[in-house]
C-alpha cells in the first residue's frame, strides 16, 4: 500500500484523483503514465488518504463534489466521496489571486498547525506527500538551520513549510517522500536536501516536467546529435488555468523563467539565444494550453532551416499522469532508504531536477537513467 | 586518405563537394556533420576522385562549372575544377524525367561498360562509392545468383548495376564501401549483402535519413517514453527539387512510401494510423522543402492533445552533411574488414536501415549504438 | 413556409437537420449561418419534408435514428422522428465506396423512378432540393437536348438525374430551387441552366464553399490589395469522413482539383504556382479535417515573407450552416422568379460559382454582392 | 515633384530610401506598394531631400554609407550619396535604448532648433514629412493651446515636436503633410488635428499597418461574414530589430497594446477575449519577425474549430512599401487642400486610424474606401 496525501486540491489533483480511481476500476487505459505496469507497485496499491487546500470554496468538500463541479457531465468514481479536503497551510501562498483563502495557521499559529498536520499524517500512515499547489514566489534557503529558524517564525512559504513538516514527520514517526511538482526550489535547496537526509525523508523535484519543456529538451538533443547549430529558439505558452493566472502576476512569472533556463546550454553545449517562457493568460483556453515555438538552425554548408511547432496540451492531466509514477517511485525510494533526493528520478520527471547544480540532460537520456536506477528494462529491447 | 567516387551529380553531390572543400579550407564550420571531428579520419582525408552522371548537360563538365551554374553569386572552391563528370550507367534511371540522358552502356553494351568502370576505379584506388542518383523504381532481387544473371542481361536498375560493379571491383582489386543514400533496396537486399560479404565489399544503406523522418522517429520515441497513445499522424512533404519531381511520377512515389512505413509500429509498439509521404512538387520551393505534420494522442485520462509541426528544410545540404560522416565511416568499415552491411551505422544514417528485417529504432537509440560501434563517447557525458 | 427535400443523407444532411431543429427550439445560437436573422424568412419557416439516400443502412430509418447512431450522447430533437429516409436514385454514385447501395431505378427503371420522385415532391409541395450526396465523377453535358436524351437512357449521374427531375417537376407542378452543394457541374453546365430557365427552376451551385477555399480566396485578396507578389501556395487537406474517402478514389479526386483551381489567377491577376488539393484519408480524424498551408510572397524590395496556416475544421457542420441560408435564399429566388442561376448568390456560397465562365472573386467582394442582391445592409455600417 | 523629409533614419527609412531609388531605376518591381502605378504621381516624382536622426553613429553620414553598412553585399544606388543625415530633435526619444544620442535642441535650446528646422524645410520646399522614429511613450495632448504651451517648454516628445514644427512651417511657408507611421497619437490627438486644420497641414496616422494586425483585421472580417463566434484570439510577435528592443522597455510596450486593441470588437461586433501584443526581443531574428496566432471559434451547431497562423515577415520593408504610397497620397492631400486628417487614407494604412474615436474596419472595407476617396477603380473590376 502507498498512502498519499495531496497538497493543493487544484485541477492537477483532481485529474490525478479521478484518473487514478478510474485506472483502478479499469475504466480507462493507463495512457500518460510513463512506467505503466512495469513497476513492482500496482495502480491499486496507491490510496489517496488526504487532501489539503486553503480555498474556502474547497475546504470541507469531498473530492467527489469538486469533480462533479468541474466535469458535470462525466461519471465520477464514487470512491472519491471518501476524500474530504482539509484546511491546509496558507502563508499567503494565494496572495494576489482571486480566491478567498484562509490557512490553518491563521487560527492557531504556525506551531500548532504543524503539529496537527504531523499527527494527521501519523494517523493516516502517510508514505508520500504530493505538492501541486499554485506556483509561489520563493528562493532557496540553503541552510538547514536557517530553515528551522524561519519555520518557527512563519517565514517560509507554504511549500517550504509543508516540506519542513515532512522532515519533522519523518524524524518522529516514519520516513516519507515529498514529491514537489511545482517550481519552488526544494529538491534544489541544499538546506532541504540536508534536512531530509538527516531525517529519513526524500524530496523528488522540482517542477513536474510536462508540456513543451521536455519536448524542447529532446528536440535540442536531436539537434545536438546532428551537430546542427541552433541560431535561436522562441517559445510562447498561453493558457487559461490558475497556473497561467498566477504566472501572470509578475513576481510569480520569475519562477517559471528560472525553471526553464539552463536546458539549452546544457544539452547543446553552447548558449543559443532563446526566449522561452509562459506568456499570457487567456481564460477561454482553459486547461488546454497553446504553445508556439520556432527553432532556427544552420545545417551543413550554413544553410538555414526552420522548425515551427504548435501544441495544444491538456495541462493538468499530463502532470497527473506523471504523479501515478511518482507516488509509486516515492514508495520505492523509501523501500530502498534512498533519502535526500534522487537525480535519476528527477532528471526524467522534473523541469529543474535536484540536487542543485545538476546538469540538464535530454529526456531520452533521463529515461535510460531512470530505467537503470529502477532496474527495469524497456520491453521493446528485450530479446 | 579516403578516395570517393560520386554516383549521380545532382544537388546532393554538389553540396557535398562544395561543402567538403570549404570545410577543408576552414571556410565554414562543420554544422550538420553529426560526428564532427570525433572520428580518426579528418575532413582533409576525404578526396573526391570521380563523379558519374548520365545527364547530357553535365557529362564532361567540371564540378566547378556546375556549382557556378547553381550558385552564381557564391565563391566556389577552385579545387572543384579537378573533378570532371564522367558518363555513367543509365539503364533508364531517368526515364520520364525532363532531362536528356544517355548511358555509357548504350554505346558499348553493359559488359564493356562495367569493365571500364571497374578499371577506372582501380586506377583511382576508389575506397568509397556514394550513390546519390535520382530515386528509381526497383524491388529487391534477393538471390546473389539472380543478381549476376540479371547483371549480364542489363536487367538491373542503374543503382543495382553500380552496386554489382562494386562487388566485382572488390573481388578483383580492393575492398570498397558502397554508400546507398537513395531508396533502392541494396542494404535491404539479402542477395546484395551476401554478394558483398563473399567479395569484401560493404553496403551502407538504404535512403539517407534527413528531414522529417528521423525527427518523426524521435518524436515517436518521446511519445512512447510517456506512454501516450498516438491516435493518428499525418505528414506532408512538398518541394521543388528533382527528387520531388521524380517522386511525383507514380511509379517512383511508391519507393518513398516503402521507406517511411514501419517506423511507427516499431517504435510505438502498435500501428498508429498514419499518412506519411511526399505529397507534391512545387517548383518555386526549390531545394527548401516544406513539411507539415499533425500528431494527435491521448494523454492521461484519455484527454486528447495535438502537436502540429512545420519545417522548412534545405533538402540536399542535410544529406550532404551526413555523407561527410558516411565517407569516413565507409573507410573505417574497410579498416575493420566489416563486410556485408553494418546495422549500427545504417540505423542512424538511413531511413530504412539494412539488413532486411531490422527493427526501426529511434534515432536517439541509434546514435548511442553508432557511438558504441565506433568506440567513441559523447564529450558531454565525459567526467 | 419553405419545404425542403434533402438528397444524400450523410453527415452534412444530419448536421443540417439536427442543427436546424435546435435552432428552431432556441437550443443553440445561429453561429455559422452567415445571414443570421437578416432575411425575410425565419429559421422556423424551413421545414424538411423528405430525405433521399441509397445506402441500405439508412433507407427506411428516421433521421432521428441516424442522428442517435452518430451522436450517441447528445440529445436529439424529437421532431426528426418525422423524417424517414426514402430510397433515392443510385446510378452508381457510390461505386467503389464501402457501402451497400441500391437505387430506386434498379427495381423499376429510370423512367418510373423519376415519375415517382416528382409525384412525391408534388405531394410534399417541395420548394427547395438540397443536393449533399457524395462527390461523384462527372463532366458538364452542355446541351439541354443532350441532357434529356441521356436522362432517358440512364446515362446521367445521380446528381444530374435529380437536377433533371427538378426541371421536370418545375415544368409540371411548381417552380423549385435546386441547391447543388457538391462539385458536380450543374450551375456550371450551360445545358442545365438553359433547361432551368425554360422550366422555372433555379440551380444554386456548385460545391459549397467551406473550409480552406474561401479563406484562401480572402487571403489572396489581402495579398492583392498590398501588391504582394505570391511566389507559391501549397495547401493540403486530410480528413476521415466519407468525402475524403471518396476523394481518394482517383477518379473522384479530379472533381475537387477542378473546383479549387481558378481562384488564384482570378483574384491575384496572375497565375501563382500552386498545389491546392485534398490529399489523403485518415480515418481517426473523422469529420474534423486538418488543413496545412504555406504562402510565400515578395514584399517591398523583393524581400521574401512566408505565411503558414493550419486549420482544424469540422467539415460537415460548416456546410450545414450555409444550407440554412441557401434554403431561405432558394425560396427568395422563387419569390423573385429568378430562374436559371444567380451568380451573386453562388459567388459567396460556392467554390465554383455558376454560371460557367464566371470570374472568381474574393469572398469579401462576394459578400457585398450578395447583400446588394438581397437588398439588405450590414448592420455594422448603419448610421 | 514630391519633396520628402524623413524623421528617424532607422531600418524603415533605409528600406524606403533604397527601395525607392531602385524602383526609379527599374531595378526592382513595385511589390508591396499597394497602389502601384494607379496614382497620378509616379515613383520618380518622389524625391527624398532630407533625413533626421539623433544617433551619433548616423548623424553626418550619407544614406549610402548607412545602406552599405547594413547590406554589405548588395549594390546600393549611388543617388543615396546625396542624402546626408542631419541632427534632429531628441527630447529623450531614445532614452533607455543602447544608442548614443544627442539632439539639436541640447546645444541651442528648443526654440532655436525649431526655427532652424523650419528654415531648412523651407529651403528644401518640403511637401511631406515622414515620421519613422523609434516608438516613444506618449499620450495625446488634446488641446491646441496646450500643445503650443508645452512646445515652448520642451515638454512634448520628439514626434509631437516635429508635428508641431510641421504646423509652424505650414502656417508660415507652405502646406505640408506629416505622415506618422509610429504609434504616437498624432492623427488621434484632437489638438494636433485642430492645429493642422487651422494651419493648412495634414497628419496621416497613426502607426503604419503592416504585419499581423491588418491580416488579423481581415481574418476577423472573414469570421464576421460567416457569423462564426470567435471564442478567443492569441497573437505573439517576436523580432530582433530596434522596434522590438524598444517595445520590451515596459513603458514603450504600452504604446503597441493601445494600437492593436479595438479592432476585435469593432469588426466582430462583440469583444472576443484576446491576447494580442508584441512579446519579446530575440536578436538573431533580426528584422524578420515571427508571429504566432491562434483563433478558436464556434461553427454551426456550436462545433469548435481552430485556426493557427504563423508568419515570417520582413518588418521594415513592409512599412517602407506603404510609405511609397503615403508620400504620394500626402501630396494629393495637399493638392486637394484636405487639411487636418483623412480617415479614408488612415483606415487602410494605419493600425490606429485617426481621427480619434473612429471605428476600426477591416482592411478590405478600408481599401474600397481608399479607392473611392482617390477616385480610382480596381482594374480587376473594370469591364
Amino acid at each position: 500500500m502507498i498512502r498519499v496525501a495531496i497538497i493543493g486540491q487544484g485541477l492537477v489533483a483532481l485529474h490525478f484523483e479521478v484518473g487514478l480511481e478510474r485506472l483502478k476500476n479499469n475504466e480507462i487505459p493507463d495512457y500518460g503514465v510513463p512506467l505503466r505496469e512495469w513497476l513492482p507497485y500496482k495502480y491499486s496499491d496507491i490510496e489517496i488518504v488526504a487532501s489539503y487546500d486553503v480555498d474556502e470554496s474547497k475546504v470541507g468538500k469531498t473530492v467527489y463534489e469538486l469533480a462533479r463541479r468541474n466535469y458535470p457531465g462525466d461519471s465520477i468514481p464514487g470512491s472519491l466521496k471518501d476524500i474530504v479536503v482539509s484546511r491546509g497551510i496558507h502563508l499567503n501562498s494565494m496572495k494576489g489571486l482571486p480566491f478567498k483563502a484562509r490557512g490553518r495557521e491563521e487560527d492557531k499559529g504556525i506551531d500548532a498547525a504543524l503539529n496537527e498536520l504531523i499527527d494527521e499524517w501519523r494517523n493516516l500512515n502517510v508514505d508520500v506527500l504530493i505538492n501541486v499547489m499554485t506556483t509561489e514566489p520563493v528562493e532557496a534557503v540553503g541552510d538547514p538551520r536557517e530553515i528551522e529558524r524561519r519555520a518557527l517564525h512563519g517565514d517560509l512559504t507554504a511549500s517550504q513549510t509543508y516540506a519542513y513538516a515532512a522532515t519533522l514527520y519523518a524524524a518522529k514517526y516514519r520516513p516519507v517522500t515529498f514529491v514537489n511538482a511545482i517550481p519552488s526550489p526544494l529538491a534544489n535547496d541544499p538546506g532541504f536536501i540536508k534536512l531530509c537526509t538527516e531525517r529519513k525523508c526524500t524530496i523528488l523535484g522540482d517542477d513536474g516536467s510536462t508540456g513543451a519543456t521536455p519536448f524542447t529538451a529532446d528536440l535540442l538533443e536531436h539537434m545536438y546529435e546532428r551537430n546542427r547549430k541552433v541560431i535561436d529558439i522562441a517559445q510562447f505558452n498561453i493558457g487559461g488555468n490558475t497556473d497561467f493566472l498566477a504566472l501572470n502576476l509578475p513576481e510569480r512569472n520569475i519562477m517559471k523563467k528560472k525553471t526553464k533556463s539552463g536546458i539549452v546550454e546544457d544539452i547543446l553545449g553552447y548558449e543559443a539565444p532563446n526566449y522561452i517562457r509562459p506568456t499570457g493568460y487567456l481564460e477561454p483556453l482553459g486547461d488546454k494550453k497553446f504553445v508556439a515555438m520556432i527553432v532556427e538552425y544552420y545545417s551543413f554548408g550554413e544553410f538555414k532551416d526552420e522548425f515551427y511547432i504548435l501544441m495544444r496540451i491538456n495541462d493538468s492531466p499530463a502532470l497527473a499522469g506523471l504523479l501515478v509514477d511518482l507516488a509509486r517511485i516515492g514508495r520505492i525510494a523509501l523501500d530502498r532508504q534512498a533519502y535526500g533526493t534522487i537525480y535519476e528520478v528527477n532528471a526524467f520527471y522534473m523541469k529543474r531536477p535536484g540536487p542543485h547544480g545538476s546538469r540538464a540532460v535530454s529526456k531520452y537520456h533521463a529515461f535510460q537513467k531512470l530505467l537503470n536506477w529502477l532496474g527495469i528494462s524497456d520491453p521493446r529491447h528485450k530479446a
Side-chain angles (χ1 to χ4, degrees), chain A:
Chain A
M1 261 319 180
I2 310 167
R3 280 154 302 255
V4 174
I6 304 290
I7 299 164
Q9 183 54 51
L11 268 187
V12 175
L14 214 52
H15 284 292
F16 175 56
E17 293 153 345
V18 171
L20 180 65
E21 293 309 302
R22 286 188 180 154
L23 260 185
K24 291 181 189 175
N25 300 342
N26 276 312
E27 292 169 24
I28 54 167
D30 60 1
Y31 302 150
V33 180
L35 296 179
R36 23 213 130 168
E37 303 196 280
W38 299 347
L39 290 177
Y41 289 100
K42 307 266 156 277
Y43 303 134
S44 55
D45 291 331
I46 309 172
E47 192 183 354
I48 299 166
V49 296
S51 171
Y52 295 94
D53 208 293
V54 293
D55 181 335
E56 292 287 11
S57 74
K58 293 177 183 169
V59 174
K61 299 281 192 309
T62 67
V63 170
Y64 181 86
E65 288 172 283
L66 298 176
R68 295 278 310 221
R69 197 197 283 171
N70 271 274
Y71 305 98
D74 294 14
S75 82
I76 307 296
S79 50
L80 295 176
K81 291 176 183 165
D82 298 339
I83 316 174
V84 178
V85 180
S86 303
R87 188 178 303 278
I89 301 289
H90 184 197
L91 291 169
N92 290 321
S93 62
M94 296 187 80
K95 194 178 149 195
L97 292 173
F99 302 104
K100 201 177 156 214
R102 181 164 184 85
R104 195 183 282 219
E105 81 285 1
E106 296 176 55
D107 294 317
K108 49 192 70 150
I110 187 67
D111 213 43
L114 281 174
N115 284 329
E116 260 187 35
L117 273 183
I118 294 168
D119 282 345
E120 282 174 30
W121 298 349
R122 178 201 195 179
N123 292 332
L124 297 164
N125 285 317
V126 167
D127 299 299
V128 177
L129 290 154
I130 295 182
N131 180 26
V132 283
M133 68 170 63
T134 299
T135 302
E136 53 177 24
V138 52
E139 301 280 338
V141 178
D143 178 65
R145 301 299 80 85
E146 174 69 10
I147 292 170
E148 287 174 320
R149 203 192 57 74
R150 290 198 200 170
L152 299 177
H153 292 79
D155 276 354
L156 296 175
T157 64
S159 287
Q160 290 174 326
T161 303
Y162 278 111
Y164 178 72
T167 67
L168 294 180
Y169 168 72
K172 213 160 162 189
Y173 302 119
R174 52 188 293 164
V176 73
T177 294
F178 188 95
V179 175
N180 183 43
I182 73 162
S184 301
L186 297 178
N188 278 281
D189 188 330
F192 273 103
I193 296 311
K194 203 159 177 204
L195 261 189
C196 275
T197 312
E198 291 167 11
R199 299 179 178 177
K200 303 200 171 174
C201 159
T202 301
I203 296 185
L204 301 178
D206 299 312
D207 204 6
S209 181
T210 60
T213 310
F215 181 74
T216 303
D218 284 348
L219 177 58
L220 293 173
E221 179 75 16
H222 188 85
M223 292 290 153
Y224 172 82
E225 293 182 357
R226 277 147 195 80
N227 197 18
R228 292 172 181 166
K229 171 74 172 183
V230 175
I231 303 167
D232 52 45
I233 307 173
Q235 186 195 297
F236 309 119
N237 288 261
I238 190 165
N241 60 25
T242 308
D243 209 28
F244 279 94
L245 183 58
L247 286 168
N248 265 35
L249 301 177
E251 73 275 21
R252 289 170 194 250
N253 197 335
I254 198 71
M255 294 310 296
K256 277 286 175 185
K257 265 190 260 183
K258 281 187 199 158
T259 291
K260 293 190 178 186
S261 68
I263 67 165
V264 177
E265 184 164 7
D266 281 358
I267 297 176
L268 289 179
Y270 54 91
E271 180 61 357
N274 64 83
Y275 183 101
I276 303 180
R277 67 192 67 168
T279 315
Y281 173 72
L282 188 58
E283 193 275 334
L285 289 173
D287 195 43
K288 194 165 183 182
K289 72 181 169 189
F290 169 57
V291 180
M293 199 168 160
I294 175 174
V295 180
E296 300 192 300
Y297 64 89
Y298 288 122
S299 172
F300 185 64
E302 287 192 296
F303 282 83
K304 195 175 168 187
D305 292 349
E306 297 106 32
F307 276 33
Y308 303 96
I309 297 165
L310 303 177
M311 303 178 184
R312 295 303 306 275
I313 300 176
N314 288 282
D315 216 13
S316 306
L319 183 50
L322 300 190
L323 297 181
V324 178
D325 276 358
L326 286 163
R328 296 182 294 168
I329 294 172
R331 184 67 158 83
I332 292 171
L334 301 181
D335 297 346
R336 298 194 185 180
Q337 307 190 353
Y339 305 128
T341 192
I342 306 164
Y343 174 72
E344 290 83 353
V345 174
N346 299 337
F348 183 71
Y349 291 101
M350 301 294 165
K351 286 203 184 106
R352 200 173 156 214
H356 182 67
S358 306
R359 184 187 178 126
V361 295
S362 74
K363 294 300 170 182
Y364 295 97
H365 285 296
F367 193 66
Q368 299 311 312
K369 282 179 203 289
L370 174 68
L371 295 186
N372 287 345
W373 186 83
L374 288 164
I376 58 183
S377 65
D378 187 331
R380 293 175 307 172
H381 302 151
K382 283 175 187 157

